[in-house]
Amino acid sequence: MSTTAELLKGAAELFPDEVVTSAHVRHFDLPAGAGRFALITLDNGFDHTKPTTFGPQSLANLNTAIDQVEAEAANGEIVGVGITGKPFIFAVGADLKGVELLKQHSDALAIGKGGHDVFKRLSGLAVPTFAYYNGAAMGGGVEVGLHCTYRTVSKALPAFSLPEVFLGLVPGWGGCTILPNLIGAEKAVSVIIENSLNQNRQLKGKQVFELGIADALFEGADFLEQSLIWTAGVLNGSVTVERPEVDRGEAWDQAVAKGRAVADSKVHGAAPAAYRALDIIEASKDGELQKGFDAEDQALADLIMGGELRSGIYAFNLVQKRGKRPAGAPDKSLARPVTKVGVVGAGLMASQLALLFLRRLEVPVVLTDIDQERVDKGVGYVHGEIDKLLGKGRINQDKANRLKGLVSGVLDKAEGFADADFVIEAVFEEMSVKQKVFAEVEAVAPAHAILATNTSSLSVSEMASKLQHPERVVGFHFFNPVAILPLLEIVRGEKTDDASLATAFAVAKKLKKTGVLTKDAPAFVVNRILTRFMGEIQNIIDEGTPVATAEKAVEPLGLPMSPLVLLELVGPAIGLHVSETLNRAFPERFTVSPNLKAVVEAGKRGFYVYNAENGFKPELDPEVAALLKQGDVVLTEEQARDRVLDAVAQEIGLMLEEGVVAEAQDIDLCLITGAGWPFHLGGITPYLDREGVSERVNGKRFLAQGVASVPA
């Protein structure tokens, strides 16, 4: 058998670029004469912008620190051991850069085993151990604390989670086993499964305490000092820690069943991580920790060697890195300052945009529209949303007053836009209307002002073609709901200059949006792919396949909602309009469904009705069913899925040939941030590669082996 030190040494050799975390041990006397204490501080030598992680060398350093305190505890030299982090950071878990490099199941197993072997030593010392969650704690950072006897948490802690399932892993260093045995299966399932699958929802310090994960909660300012006073109380018996009894009966089984229902609703069986985590939680009911740890090791190794995790890491890197450094964006030094924003239109979309610019830029924002009633309604909407923020305590009264003072509405564009640096239109999706609006704005706005369009499918170049200065027109396409979806497709028209484009990217960054540069091609990225995707499903239905079969065919992708529910959200009329636009551009690939046309003409909001009797599950609307005219070609789910995926793979291949975006990575970034496509798919191209669709359709993979897959 290899020792832990040998395991970690072998793993460290596979990962020479690890940012190594040290584990410093210092000693001091606890207050109230409680005795000599050893405190281990985890620190990678960088400030809080580079959080502390656990790679193999970092685990080896912690192991060495535990060697030292274990000997001191055995010799009676110390009464307890604490573990904490550097300022603002406790530890954020395993170093995923190292995980990406693993090629062998045995290496992956060593990582799981190595973490367990080090962490569980904390529960085996001759003295009590204490974790002080002083700052951000995620994954292995949470788990190292779970192995301690007691835990305290800071009220200022901003983010605490076990995000592994979100990425395609399981909490594999004790999380799946210890957490349900500490706080009960129901709460553990909520943290491990529900929070992860809800876009990696984070807990704050107070919630960590309320869930029973931590035994005490202290203010951030003197957190460590208060934790040590409390520790002295625990050790000298003046503080008693009471934890409620864990229900190991039916409640445990119900919690696991609920977790499976949540996983089914989110990933439809398409991603294994949640189910593996639930299996371990289920098996941990008898409280036998070592059995659970062994199961965690196995699950971790299997998942590390599977495509889902690699796609999850790839997606995580896209959002965290590529999303912050957009491919093809001009030098940011070319960007011009934006001190006032104009919004043409005061409808719902325009009002949402005005609110976003106001909150993020905190500069004057002026709306215009064709009559005073609409203008007043738009400004009223913004005021109402600010009042909601005030009511929730998200902003104070001064800020609310200041923001309300910055937003205004006028009828006269000359009055509103004469000193605006950035004007965005959100009017009806019709070329002649948008050209007329831009001509009016160009006549009154300053020469340097950016003219941005929120068009979802029209040509930015054509929109700018009749202007004297088409170089300052840029596509700035938001996704609904504007406040939630991060993507901003930034479209370069034929004449758009670098300064205008750089300004657009600088504004996107201030708006906290993920800007992706796209060529001025029909429907840009997301709507073009979704329209081809939806169009193929619609074709399959029109040809004769039942609606339910066509919908069920794409369930294995684990999308956030089914295609026809998405159509309802977008609006059938908008879906029809985009399909007509793309049909004009690419008639050989994009069809206009007569059935969809009939649904729109009948004024239906979608294909489904929802009622209380069936728990508000979507049911085909009888009135829509009566409208449908279908052929007699009936496909199986598998045939339907192949048709849809082939169509999507073909479209992405053509988009990359046309240079709509720089690389396949940008397609995935757009689908993840603009359409909510799952992390575990890595967007879409890793999935198409993994399923062999890319090679079947295009004769080659979209991504090199090892980019979102296990290295060759």
Side-chain angles (χ1 to χ4, degrees), residues 551 562 565 568 608-611 614-621:
E551 286 264 85
S562 79
V565 173
E568 206 168 290
Y608 292 129
V609 286
Y610 303 85
N611 51 57
N614 75 338
F616 297 103
K617 288 195 177 97
E619 272 182 10
L620 189 61
D621 183 340

Side-chain angles (χ1 to χ4, degrees), residues 174-181 185 246 248 252 256 277-289 291-293 295-296:
C176 287
T177 305
I178 301 174
L179 193 64
N181 278 290
V246 168
R248 298 181 188 282
W252 194 290
V256 172
L278 287 160
D279 288 346
I280 300 167
I281 293 169
E282 186 172 35
S284 300
K285 185 176 172 180
D286 60 8
E288 275 204 33
L289 298 186
K291 192 175 75 179
F293 296 164
E296 287 175 354

Side-chain angles (χ1 to χ4, degrees), residues 61-85:
N61 289 347
L62 178 56
N63 200 43
T64 303
I66 297 172
D67 283 342
Q68 180 186 337
V69 296
E70 184 178 57
E72 291 167 354
N75 294 335
E77 296 166 27
I78 53 174
V79 292
V81 175
I83 186 163
T84 193

Side-chain angles (χ1 to χ4, degrees), residues 15-83:
F15 185 22
D17 299 327
E18 177 185 351
V19 176
V20 177
T21 296
S22 58
H24 306 289
V25 182
R26 57 195 171 110
H27 298 84
F28 44 79
D29 292 322
L30 286 171
R36 191 96 176 131
F37 191 74
L39 181 67
I40 300 170
T41 303
L42 303 169
D43 191 346
N44 61 4
F46 293 92
D47 69 9
H48 65 279
T49 58
K50 197 159 203 164
T52 305
T53 52
F54 292 120
Q57 187 55 54
S58 306
L59 285 172
N61 289 347
L62 178 56
N63 200 43
T64 303
I66 297 172
D67 283 342
Q68 180 186 337
V69 296
E70 184 178 57
E72 291 167 354
N75 294 335
E77 296 166 27
I78 53 174
V79 292
V81 175
I83 186 163

Side-chain angles (χ1 to χ4, degrees), residues 243 383 537 591 668 673:
R243 296 181 186 140
H383 280 197
I537 287 168
T591 52
D668 293 320
T673 55

Side-chain angles (χ1 to χ4, degrees), residues 177-205:
T177 305
I178 301 174
L179 193 64
N181 278 290
L182 176 70
I183 62 172
E186 188 184 353
K187 290 177 182 173
V189 164
S190 165
V191 174
I192 294 168
I193 307 296
E194 284 188 80
N195 288 357
S196 270
L197 293 179
N198 278 314
Q199 294 301 315
N200 191 20
R201 188 191 290 147
Q202 300 292 321
L203 298 168
K204 300 269 191 284

Side-chain angles (χ1 to χ4, degrees), residues 118 129 162 184 203 246 293 300 420 502 524 528 590 624 645 647 652 668 688 710:
V118 175
T129 48
L162 289 168
L203 298 168
V246 168
F293 296 164
L300 210 52
F524 317 125
R528 179 161 163 186
F590 286 87
V624 170
L645 292 177
I652 292 171
D668 293 320
L688 295 172
V710 178

